[in-house]
Amino acid sequence: MSYVFYGWWDWRFLLLIFASSLIDFILGSAISKSREKNLRRVYLSLSILFNLGCLGLFKYYNFFIESFVEMTAAFGLQANVTSLSLILPVGISFYTFQTLSYTIDVYRKQIDAVKDPVVFFAFVSFLPQLVAGPIERARNLIPQFQGQKIFDYDKAVNGMRLILWGLFKKVVIADGAALAVERIFSNYESMSVAYLALGAILFAVQIYGDFSGYSDIAIGVAALLGFNLMVNFKTPYFSRDISEFWRRWHISLSTWFRDYLYIPIGGNRGTMLKVVRNTFVIFLVSGFWHGANWTYIFWGGLNALYFLPLLLANRNRKHLDTVAENRYLPSMKEILQMTFTFVLVCFAWIFFRAESLSHAFGYIQGFWANPLWESKLVISVHYFYMLGVFLLIEWLIREKGFSATVADSSVFLRRCTYTMLFLCIVFFGVFNGSEFIYFQF
Protein backbone atom coordinates (compact mmCIF):
# COMPACT_ATOMS: atom_id res chain seq x y z
CA MET A 1 0.00 0.00 0.00
CA SER A 2 2.82 2.45 0.86
CA TYR A 3 4.49 1.80 -2.48
CA VAL A 4 1.20 2.40 -4.34
CA PHE A 5 0.82 5.69 -2.45
CA TYR A 6 4.37 6.77 -3.28
CA GLY A 7 4.18 5.58 -6.90
CA TRP A 8 0.96 7.55 -7.39
CA TRP A 9 3.07 10.73 -7.24
CA ASP A 10 5.78 9.48 -9.63
CA TRP A 11 6.30 5.75 -10.22
CA ARG A 12 9.88 6.28 -11.44
CA PHE A 13 11.10 7.02 -7.91
CA LEU A 14 9.85 3.70 -6.60
CA LEU A 15 13.12 2.26 -7.86
CA LEU A 16 15.10 4.71 -5.72
CA ILE A 17 13.30 3.98 -2.46
CA PHE A 18 13.40 0.25 -3.25
CA ALA A 19 17.15 0.38 -3.89
CA SER A 20 17.74 2.45 -0.75
CA SER A 21 15.75 -0.03 1.34
CA LEU A 22 17.41 -3.09 -0.22
CA ILE A 23 20.97 -1.82 0.20
CA ASP A 24 20.46 -0.80 3.83
CA PHE A 25 18.71 -4.11 4.56
CA ILE A 26 21.70 -6.02 3.14
CA LEU A 27 24.31 -3.79 4.81
CA GLY A 28 22.46 -3.91 8.14
CA SER A 29 22.54 -7.72 8.03
CA ALA A 30 26.22 -7.68 7.05
CA ILE A 31 27.08 -5.34 9.96
CA SER A 32 25.19 -7.55 12.37
CA LYS A 33 26.87 -10.78 11.22
CA SER A 34 30.41 -9.43 11.01
CA ARG A 35 32.74 -9.90 13.98
CA GLU A 36 35.57 -7.73 12.64
CA LYS A 37 35.35 -4.10 13.68
CA ASN A 38 37.05 -2.80 10.55
CA LEU A 39 34.69 -4.73 8.30
CA ARG A 40 31.70 -3.42 10.22
CA ARG A 41 33.02 0.10 9.64
CA VAL A 42 33.35 -0.58 5.93
CA TYR A 43 29.72 -1.73 5.72
CA LEU A 44 28.55 1.29 7.69
CA SER A 45 30.62 3.62 5.48
CA LEU A 46 29.03 2.08 2.38
CA SER A 47 25.57 2.72 3.81
CA ILE A 48 26.42 6.34 4.65
CA LEU A 49 28.05 6.93 1.26
CA PHE A 50 25.12 5.47 -0.65
CA ASN A 51 22.43 7.37 1.26
CA LEU A 52 24.24 10.69 1.34
CA GLY A 53 25.28 10.15 -2.29
CA CYS A 54 21.64 9.82 -3.40
CA LEU A 55 20.70 12.86 -1.31
CA GLY A 56 23.62 14.83 -2.74
CA LEU A 57 22.82 13.93 -6.32
CA PHE A 58 19.10 14.71 -6.26
CA LYS A 59 19.06 17.59 -3.80
CA TYR A 60 22.45 19.34 -3.80
CA TYR A 61 24.24 18.59 -7.08
CA ASN A 62 22.98 21.67 -8.94
CA PHE A 63 23.54 23.87 -5.87
CA PHE A 64 27.22 22.92 -5.71
CA ILE A 65 27.64 23.30 -9.47
CA GLU A 66 26.00 26.74 -9.55
CA SER A 67 27.96 27.89 -6.49
CA PHE A 68 31.19 26.71 -8.13
CA VAL A 69 30.38 28.57 -11.36
CA GLU A 70 29.56 31.75 -9.43
CA MET A 71 32.77 31.47 -7.41
CA THR A 72 34.97 31.03 -10.48
CA ALA A 73 33.15 33.90 -12.19
CA ALA A 74 34.06 36.13 -9.25
CA PHE A 75 37.74 35.49 -10.10
CA GLY A 76 37.15 36.25 -13.79
CA LEU A 77 37.13 32.58 -14.82
CA GLN A 78 34.49 30.70 -16.77
CA ALA A 79 33.69 27.14 -15.74
CA ASN A 80 31.85 24.98 -18.25
CA VAL A 81 30.04 22.59 -15.94
CA THR A 82 26.61 21.23 -16.82
CA SER A 83 23.81 21.16 -14.29
CA LEU A 84 21.24 18.35 -14.25
CA SER A 85 17.48 18.54 -14.72
CA LEU A 86 16.51 16.39 -11.76
CA ILE A 87 13.21 16.24 -9.92
CA LEU A 88 13.66 16.06 -6.17
CA PRO A 89 11.99 12.82 -5.01
CA VAL A 90 9.36 13.60 -2.40
CA GLY A 91 10.41 12.50 1.08
CA ILE A 92 14.01 11.59 0.17
CA SER A 93 15.44 13.67 3.05
CA PHE A 94 13.15 11.91 5.52
CA TYR A 95 13.47 8.26 4.50
CA THR A 96 17.23 8.66 3.90
CA PHE A 97 17.73 9.77 7.51
CA GLN A 98 15.43 7.00 8.71
CA THR A 99 17.43 4.27 6.97
CA LEU A 100 20.72 5.85 8.06
CA SER A 101 19.64 5.74 11.70
CA TYR A 102 18.90 2.02 11.24
CA THR A 103 22.36 1.04 10.00
CA ILE A 104 24.07 3.29 12.58
CA ASP A 105 22.02 1.76 15.41
CA VAL A 106 22.85 -1.76 14.16
CA TYR A 107 26.54 -0.78 14.02
CA ARG A 108 26.34 0.55 17.58
CA LYS A 109 24.63 -2.73 18.62
CA GLN A 110 21.66 -0.77 19.95
CA ILE A 111 19.26 -2.86 17.85
CA ASP A 112 19.39 -6.20 16.05
CA ALA A 113 19.33 -6.30 12.26
CA VAL A 114 15.92 -7.03 10.79
CA LYS A 115 15.67 -10.52 9.27
CA ASP A 116 12.35 -10.06 7.47
CA PRO A 117 12.76 -7.86 4.36
CA VAL A 118 9.02 -7.12 4.26
CA VAL A 119 9.20 -5.61 7.75
CA PHE A 120 12.20 -3.49 6.83
CA PHE A 121 10.70 -2.24 3.56
CA ALA A 122 7.49 -1.37 5.41
CA PHE A 123 9.52 0.53 8.03
CA VAL A 124 11.24 2.67 5.38
CA SER A 125 8.11 3.37 3.33
CA PHE A 126 5.45 3.58 6.07
CA LEU A 127 2.70 5.56 4.36
CA PRO A 128 1.65 8.10 7.06
CA GLN A 129 5.14 9.51 7.65
CA LEU A 130 6.91 8.65 4.38
CA VAL A 131 6.98 12.05 2.69
CA ALA A 132 7.46 14.48 5.61
CA GLY A 133 8.12 12.58 8.81
CA PRO A 134 8.22 12.40 11.75
CA ILE A 135 11.62 10.75 11.18
CA GLU A 136 11.10 7.57 13.17
CA ARG A 137 13.77 5.49 14.86
CA ALA A 138 14.05 1.84 13.94
CA ARG A 139 13.90 0.78 17.59
CA ASN A 140 10.46 2.38 17.91
CA LEU A 141 8.79 1.58 14.59
CA ILE A 142 10.16 -1.81 13.48
CA PRO A 143 8.87 -3.77 16.53
CA GLN A 144 5.39 -2.43 15.78
CA PHE A 145 5.45 -4.17 12.37
CA GLN A 146 6.46 -7.44 13.97
CA GLY A 147 3.60 -7.72 16.45
CA GLN A 148 -0.02 -8.65 15.75
CA LYS A 149 -2.32 -5.68 15.15
CA ILE A 150 -5.59 -5.54 17.10
CA PHE A 151 -8.02 -2.68 16.65
CA ASP A 152 -7.76 -0.31 19.61
CA TYR A 153 -10.84 1.92 19.89
CA ASP A 154 -9.24 4.50 22.21
CA LYS A 155 -6.16 4.78 20.02
CA ALA A 156 -8.33 5.20 16.93
CA VAL A 157 -10.36 7.97 18.63
CA ASN A 158 -7.13 9.75 19.60
CA GLY A 159 -6.01 9.43 15.99
CA MET A 160 -9.24 10.96 14.70
CA ARG A 161 -8.86 13.88 17.12
CA LEU A 162 -5.33 14.55 15.85
CA ILE A 163 -6.46 14.36 12.21
CA LEU A 164 -9.21 16.93 12.90
CA TRP A 165 -6.78 19.24 14.73
CA GLY A 166 -4.15 18.81 12.03
CA LEU A 167 -6.65 19.62 9.27
CA PHE A 168 -7.69 22.78 11.10
CA LYS A 169 -4.06 23.87 11.40
CA LYS A 170 -3.36 23.14 7.74
CA VAL A 171 -6.39 24.40 5.78
CA VAL A 172 -7.56 27.18 8.14
CA ILE A 173 -4.42 28.53 9.82
CA ALA A 174 -1.55 27.74 7.42
CA ASP A 175 -3.31 28.04 4.06
CA GLY A 176 -5.32 31.01 5.34
CA ALA A 177 -2.05 32.89 5.90
CA ALA A 178 -0.30 31.65 2.75
CA LEU A 179 -1.74 34.16 0.26
CA ALA A 180 -0.98 37.14 2.51
CA VAL A 181 2.56 35.90 3.13
CA GLU A 182 3.13 35.45 -0.59
CA ARG A 183 1.81 38.93 -1.36
CA ILE A 184 3.91 40.64 1.34
CA PHE A 185 7.15 38.80 0.55
CA SER A 186 6.71 39.29 -3.23
CA ASN A 187 6.03 43.03 -2.88
CA TYR A 188 8.21 43.87 0.12
CA GLU A 189 9.60 47.01 -1.55
CA SER A 190 6.17 48.69 -1.43
CA MET A 191 5.05 47.33 1.95
CA SER A 192 5.01 49.46 5.10
CA VAL A 193 6.96 48.44 8.21
CA ALA A 194 3.77 47.22 9.85
CA TYR A 195 3.04 44.89 6.94
CA LEU A 196 6.61 43.63 6.79
CA ALA A 197 6.30 42.69 10.46
CA LEU A 198 2.92 41.13 9.75
CA GLY A 199 4.43 39.10 6.90
CA ALA A 200 7.15 37.67 9.13
CA ILE A 201 4.64 36.81 11.87
CA LEU A 202 2.17 35.25 9.45
CA PHE A 203 4.91 33.12 7.92
CA ALA A 204 5.83 31.89 11.40
CA VAL A 205 2.17 30.93 11.84
CA GLN A 206 1.95 29.43 8.36
CA ILE A 207 4.97 27.16 8.59
CA TYR A 208 4.01 25.97 12.07
CA GLY A 209 0.40 25.32 11.10
CA ASP A 210 1.50 23.60 7.90
CA PHE A 211 4.19 21.32 9.28
CA SER A 212 2.73 20.55 12.71
CA GLY A 213 -0.64 20.04 10.99
CA TYR A 214 0.93 17.46 8.69
CA SER A 215 2.66 15.78 11.65
CA ASP A 216 -0.60 15.54 13.60
CA ILE A 217 -2.40 14.07 10.59
CA ALA A 218 0.44 11.56 10.07
CA ILE A 219 0.41 10.54 13.74
CA GLY A 220 -3.39 10.32 13.65
CA VAL A 221 -3.46 8.12 10.52
CA ALA A 222 -0.77 5.88 12.02
CA ALA A 223 -2.85 5.57 15.20
CA LEU A 224 -5.85 4.43 13.11
CA LEU A 225 -3.60 1.69 11.71
CA GLY A 226 -2.51 0.76 15.24
CA PHE A 227 0.93 2.42 15.22
CA ASN A 228 2.51 4.95 17.59
CA LEU A 229 4.67 7.70 16.05
CA MET A 230 6.74 10.15 18.05
CA VAL A 231 5.42 13.64 18.83
CA ASN A 232 7.04 16.17 16.51
CA PHE A 233 5.92 19.51 17.98
CA LYS A 234 5.14 20.71 21.51
CA THR A 235 3.70 24.24 21.20
CA PRO A 236 7.12 25.73 20.31
CA TYR A 237 5.98 29.36 20.13
CA PHE A 238 5.38 29.34 23.90
CA SER A 239 9.11 28.81 24.49
CA ARG A 240 10.96 31.08 26.91
CA ASP A 241 14.31 30.92 25.13
CA ILE A 242 15.70 29.62 21.84
CA SER A 243 17.02 26.45 23.45
CA GLU A 244 13.52 25.51 24.62
CA PHE A 245 12.20 26.36 21.15
CA TRP A 246 14.52 23.79 19.57
CA ARG A 247 13.43 21.14 22.08
CA ARG A 248 9.84 21.72 20.93
CA TRP A 249 10.24 22.30 17.16
CA HIS A 250 10.58 19.41 14.67
CA ILE A 251 11.64 17.14 17.52
CA SER A 252 12.30 14.08 15.35
CA LEU A 253 14.90 15.97 13.26
CA SER A 254 16.46 17.87 16.20
CA THR A 255 16.98 14.66 18.19
CA TRP A 256 18.29 12.90 15.05
CA PHE A 257 21.02 15.52 14.64
CA ARG A 258 21.73 15.41 18.37
CA ASP A 259 22.16 11.61 18.47
CA TYR A 260 23.88 11.01 15.11
CA LEU A 261 25.91 14.18 14.59
CA TYR A 262 26.26 16.49 17.60
CA ILE A 263 27.19 13.91 20.24
CA PRO A 264 29.51 11.87 17.93
CA ILE A 265 31.57 14.98 17.07
CA GLY A 266 31.94 15.86 20.75
CA GLY A 267 28.72 17.65 21.77
CA ASN A 268 29.35 20.12 24.56
CA ARG A 269 32.48 18.31 25.71
CA GLY A 270 36.00 19.64 25.20
CA THR A 271 37.35 23.14 24.86
CA MET A 272 35.21 26.21 24.37
CA LEU A 273 36.37 26.39 20.75
CA LYS A 274 35.18 22.84 20.08
CA VAL A 275 31.80 23.49 21.70
CA VAL A 276 31.33 26.57 19.48
CA ARG A 277 32.40 24.56 16.42
CA ASN A 278 30.03 21.70 17.22
CA THR A 279 27.12 24.06 17.76
CA PHE A 280 27.67 25.75 14.41
CA VAL A 281 28.12 22.41 12.66
CA ILE A 282 24.78 21.04 13.81
CA PHE A 283 22.82 24.20 13.02
CA LEU A 284 24.47 24.78 9.64
CA VAL A 285 23.93 21.14 8.61
CA SER A 286 20.35 21.35 9.86
CA GLY A 287 19.81 24.45 7.73
CA PHE A 288 21.41 22.78 4.69
CA TRP A 289 19.22 19.71 5.20
CA HIS A 290 16.18 21.89 4.53
CA GLY A 291 17.26 22.89 1.06
CA ALA A 292 20.01 23.69 -1.42
CA ASN A 293 19.97 27.43 -0.91
CA TRP A 294 22.23 29.83 1.00
CA THR A 295 19.15 31.20 2.76
CA TYR A 296 18.72 27.93 4.70
CA ILE A 297 22.41 27.87 5.64
CA PHE A 298 22.19 31.48 6.85
CA TRP A 299 19.03 30.59 8.79
CA GLY A 300 20.91 27.74 10.46
CA GLY A 301 23.89 29.96 11.29
CA LEU A 302 21.62 32.62 12.75
CA ASN A 303 20.00 30.07 15.05
CA ALA A 304 23.47 28.93 16.14
CA LEU A 305 24.25 32.54 17.11
CA TYR A 306 20.99 32.67 19.07
CA PHE A 307 21.77 29.38 20.83
CA LEU A 308 25.44 29.91 21.62
CA PRO A 309 25.14 32.41 24.52
CA LEU A 310 22.75 30.07 26.35
CA LEU A 311 25.11 27.12 25.85
CA LEU A 312 28.23 28.99 26.93
CA ALA A 313 26.46 30.36 30.00
CA ASN A 314 25.21 26.84 30.78
CA ARG A 315 21.60 28.08 30.63
CA ASN A 316 20.50 26.01 27.64
CA ARG A 317 18.58 23.53 29.81
CA LYS A 318 17.01 26.05 32.15
CA HIS A 319 13.44 25.70 30.82
CA LEU A 320 12.76 21.96 30.74
CA ASP A 321 9.22 22.30 32.07
CA THR A 322 6.18 23.84 30.38
CA VAL A 323 5.55 27.55 30.70
CA ALA A 324 2.97 28.49 33.36
CA GLU A 325 2.73 24.87 34.45
CA ASN A 326 -0.42 24.23 36.53
CA ARG A 327 -1.43 27.86 36.02
CA TYR A 328 -3.92 29.43 33.65
CA LEU A 329 -1.85 32.49 32.85
CA PRO A 330 1.88 33.21 32.48
CA SER A 331 3.73 35.77 34.59
CA MET A 332 4.82 39.07 33.09
CA LYS A 333 8.40 37.76 32.99
CA GLU A 334 7.29 34.69 31.02
CA ILE A 335 5.30 36.85 28.60
CA LEU A 336 8.39 38.97 27.93
CA GLN A 337 10.57 35.85 27.51
CA MET A 338 8.11 34.26 25.06
CA THR A 339 7.73 37.50 23.11
CA PHE A 340 11.49 37.99 22.82
CA THR A 341 12.00 34.39 21.68
CA PHE A 342 9.17 34.69 19.14
CA VAL A 343 10.69 37.89 17.70
CA LEU A 344 14.06 36.14 17.29
CA VAL A 345 12.40 33.17 15.59
CA CYS A 346 10.35 35.40 13.26
CA PHE A 347 13.47 37.33 12.25
CA ALA A 348 15.22 34.07 11.34
CA TRP A 349 12.14 32.85 9.44
CA ILE A 350 12.61 35.78 7.01
CA PHE A 351 15.74 34.05 5.67
CA PHE A 352 13.96 30.69 5.57
CA ARG A 353 11.07 32.14 3.52
CA ALA A 354 13.09 34.41 1.22
CA GLU A 355 14.05 33.18 -2.23
CA SER A 356 17.64 34.44 -1.92
CA LEU A 357 19.89 36.24 0.54
CA SER A 358 19.45 39.52 -1.36
CA HIS A 359 15.68 39.06 -1.07
CA ALA A 360 15.99 38.51 2.70
CA PHE A 361 18.28 41.49 3.28
CA GLY A 362 16.06 43.67 1.06
CA TYR A 363 13.07 42.63 3.16
CA ILE A 364 14.92 43.50 6.40
CA GLN A 365 16.14 46.81 4.95
CA GLY A 366 12.49 47.74 4.41
CA PHE A 367 12.02 47.93 8.20
CA TRP A 368 13.85 51.27 8.28
CA ALA A 369 13.52 52.38 4.64
CA ASN A 370 9.78 51.94 4.10
CA PRO A 371 6.95 54.04 5.62
CA LEU A 372 5.70 52.95 9.01
CA TRP A 373 2.08 52.44 8.00
CA GLU A 374 0.06 52.28 4.82
CA SER A 375 -3.34 50.67 4.77
CA LYS A 376 -3.55 47.68 2.42
CA LEU A 377 -5.94 44.78 2.55
CA VAL A 378 -3.78 41.65 2.54
CA ILE A 379 -5.84 39.32 4.71
CA SER A 380 -9.46 39.19 5.83
CA VAL A 381 -10.49 40.10 9.36
CA HIS A 382 -12.09 36.70 10.04
CA TYR A 383 -8.65 35.10 9.72
CA PHE A 384 -7.60 36.86 12.93
CA TYR A 385 -10.64 35.37 14.70
CA MET A 386 -9.44 31.94 13.57
CA LEU A 387 -5.94 32.83 14.75
CA GLY A 388 -7.39 33.75 18.16
CA VAL A 389 -9.14 30.36 18.37
CA PHE A 390 -5.92 28.63 17.36
CA LEU A 391 -3.78 30.44 19.96
CA LEU A 392 -6.32 29.81 22.72
CA ILE A 393 -6.38 26.06 21.99
CA GLU A 394 -2.57 25.94 21.69
CA TRP A 395 -2.28 27.56 25.12
CA LEU A 396 -4.78 25.17 26.72
CA ILE A 397 -3.07 22.05 25.30
CA ARG A 398 0.52 23.12 26.00
CA GLU A 399 1.02 20.62 28.86
CA LYS A 400 -0.64 17.42 27.61
CA GLY A 401 -1.15 17.91 23.88
CA PHE A 402 -4.42 18.19 21.96
CA SER A 403 -5.74 14.64 22.11
CA ALA A 404 -5.08 14.02 25.82
CA THR A 405 -6.44 17.45 26.82
CA VAL A 406 -9.66 16.91 24.87
CA ALA A 407 -9.97 13.35 26.19
CA ASP A 408 -9.81 14.65 29.79
CA SER A 409 -12.53 17.24 29.24
CA SER A 410 -16.29 16.72 29.67
CA VAL A 411 -18.40 15.10 26.96
CA PHE A 412 -20.14 18.42 26.29
CA LEU A 413 -16.83 20.28 25.88
CA ARG A 414 -15.44 17.55 23.63
CA ARG A 415 -18.45 17.73 21.33
CA CYS A 416 -18.29 21.53 21.26
CA THR A 417 -14.60 21.34 20.30
CA TYR A 418 -15.21 18.83 17.50
CA THR A 419 -18.16 20.84 16.15
CA MET A 420 -16.32 24.14 16.28
CA LEU A 421 -13.23 22.79 14.50
CA PHE A 422 -15.34 21.04 11.88
CA LEU A 423 -17.35 24.19 11.13
CA CYS A 424 -14.19 26.31 11.00
CA ILE A 425 -12.69 23.90 8.46
CA VAL A 426 -15.87 23.90 6.33
CA PHE A 427 -16.50 27.66 6.35
CA PHE A 428 -13.01 29.14 6.71
CA GLY A 429 -10.76 26.46 5.25
CA VAL A 430 -8.78 27.17 2.07
CA PHE A 431 -9.11 24.28 -0.36
CA ASN A 432 -6.90 25.30 -3.26
CA GLY A 433 -4.82 22.14 -3.41
CA SER A 434 -1.71 23.73 -1.91
CA GLU A 435 0.97 21.23 -0.92
CA PHE A 436 2.58 20.95 2.48
CA ILE A 437 5.70 23.17 2.70
CA TYR A 438 7.93 20.34 3.94
CA PHE A 439 7.16 18.18 0.88
CA GLN A 440 9.88 20.19 -0.92
CA PHE A 441 12.48 19.11 1.64
Side-chain angles (χ1 to χ4, degrees), residues 32 101-114 123 137-140 142-143:
S32 179
S101 70
Y102 166 75
T103 50
I104 294 171
D105 284 352
V106 171
Y107 174 80
R108 291 173 173 174
K109 299 183 179 179
Q110 293 176 339
I111 59 171
D112 295 326
V114 180
F123 155 69
R137 306 299 176 82
R139 70 179 78 105
N140 174 47
I142 285 178

Side-chain angles (χ1 to χ4, degrees), residues 278-329:
N278 297 343
T279 302
F280 270 95
V281 166
I282 190 172
F283 277 104
L284 290 174
V285 172
S286 174
F288 199 40
W289 176 89
H290 283 83
N293 194 322
W294 289 106
T295 54
Y296 297 119
I297 298 173
F298 196 94
W299 170 76
L302 194 54
N303 275 284
L305 287 175
Y306 290 166
F307 185 82
L308 211 52
L310 292 171
L311 182 65
L312 296 179
N314 200 26
R315 295 169 63 88
N316 57 308
R317 298 184 63 79
K318 183 180 180 183
H319 299 301
L320 297 177
D321 58 347
T322 304
V323 64
E325 200 163 284
N326 300 321
R327 287 181 281 130
Y328 286 110
L329 297 173

Side-chain angles (χ1 to χ4, degrees), residues 64-309:
F64 285 122
I65 291 298
E66 290 164 9
S67 298
F68 177 71
V69 171
E70 289 174 6
M71 185 178 69
T72 53
F75 290 98
L77 302 173
Q78 185 176 359
N80 294 317
V81 187
T82 306
S83 59
L84 300 176
S85 299
L86 293 173
I87 302 172
L88 182 66
V90 169
I92 188 172
S93 301
F94 292 91
Y95 70 72
T96 295
F97 271 38
Q98 194 154 300
T99 53
L100 267 179
S101 70
Y102 166 75
T103 50
I104 294 171
D105 284 352
V106 171
Y107 174 80
R108 291 173 173 174
K109 299 183 179 179
Q110 293 176 339
I111 59 171
D112 295 326
V114 180
K115 296 177 180 176
D116 186 346
V118 176
V119 168
F120 185 74
F121 278 58
F123 155 69
V124 177
S125 63
F126 188 44
L127 185 152
Q129 43 90 239
L130 170 61
V131 293
I135 303 170
E136 272 296 340
R137 306 299 176 82
R139 70 179 78 105
N140 174 47
L141 193 52
I142 285 178
Q144 297 187 57
F145 285 104
Q146 294 169 322
Q148 184 181 5
K149 289 294 164 207
I150 300 173
F151 180 76
D152 185 329
Y153 176 79
D154 291 334
K155 183 182 285 188
V157 170
N158 285 335
M160 291 296 291
R161 287 193 193 108
L162 284 175
I163 292 171
L164 181 66
W165 179 230
L167 279 173
F168 173 79
K169 287 197 280 188
K170 168 59 179 168
V171 302
V172 178
I173 299 303
D175 290 350
L179 286 176
V181 171
E182 175 62 27
R183 184 176 173 189
I184 294 171
F185 271 81
S186 299
N187 302 283
Y188 67 93
E189 302 97 330
S190 61
M191 290 289 171
S192 66
V193 172
Y195 279 91
L196 292 176
L198 180 65
I201 292 170
L202 285 179
F203 179 67
V205 172
Q206 181 196 357
I207 193 167
Y208 174 59
D210 189 285
F211 193 26
S212 70
Y214 175 87
S215 294
D216 285 342
I217 294 170
I219 295 168
V221 172
L224 287 177
L225 298 173
F227 290 81
N228 295 316
L229 299 183
M230 68 184 298
V231 174
N232 216 14
F233 292 89
K234 291 182 177 177
T235 56
Y237 289 147
F238 295 137
S239 300
R240 289 154 287 182
D241 59 39
I242 206 70
S243 179
E244 184 183 8
F245 173 81
W246 280 108
R247 281 193 297 274
R248 293 174 174 275
W249 179 274
H250 202 173
I251 298 167
S252 64
L253 181 67
S254 302
T255 52
W256 196 101
F257 278 121
R258 180 198 64 197
D259 295 342
Y260 298 106
L261 180 62
Y262 184 65
I263 292 176
I265 62 174
N268 57 1
R269 304 183 304 275
T271 64
M272 186 78 73
L273 193 61
K274 285 186 177 177
V275 171
V276 172
R277 180 202 66 183
N278 297 343
T279 302
F280 270 95
V281 166
I282 190 172
F283 277 104
L284 290 174
V285 172
S286 174
F288 199 40
W289 176 89
H290 283 83
N293 194 322
W294 289 106
T295 54
Y296 297 119
I297 298 173
F298 196 94
W299 170 76
L302 194 54
N303 275 284
L305 287 175
Y306 290 166
F307 185 82
L308 211 52

Side-chain angles (χ1 to χ4, degrees), residues 343-378:
V343 169
L344 289 179
V345 171
C346 285
F347 183 78
W349 282 137
I350 293 173
F351 291 91
F352 194 96
R353 173 60 177 78
E355 295 172 3
S356 64
L357 285 179
S358 60
H359 182 194
F361 285 119
Y363 192 100
I364 294 166
Q365 190 180 17
F367 279 100
W368 62 83
N370 294 2
L372 281 176
W373 170 257
E374 185 180 353
S375 181
K376 291 182 180 179
L377 185 62
V378 296

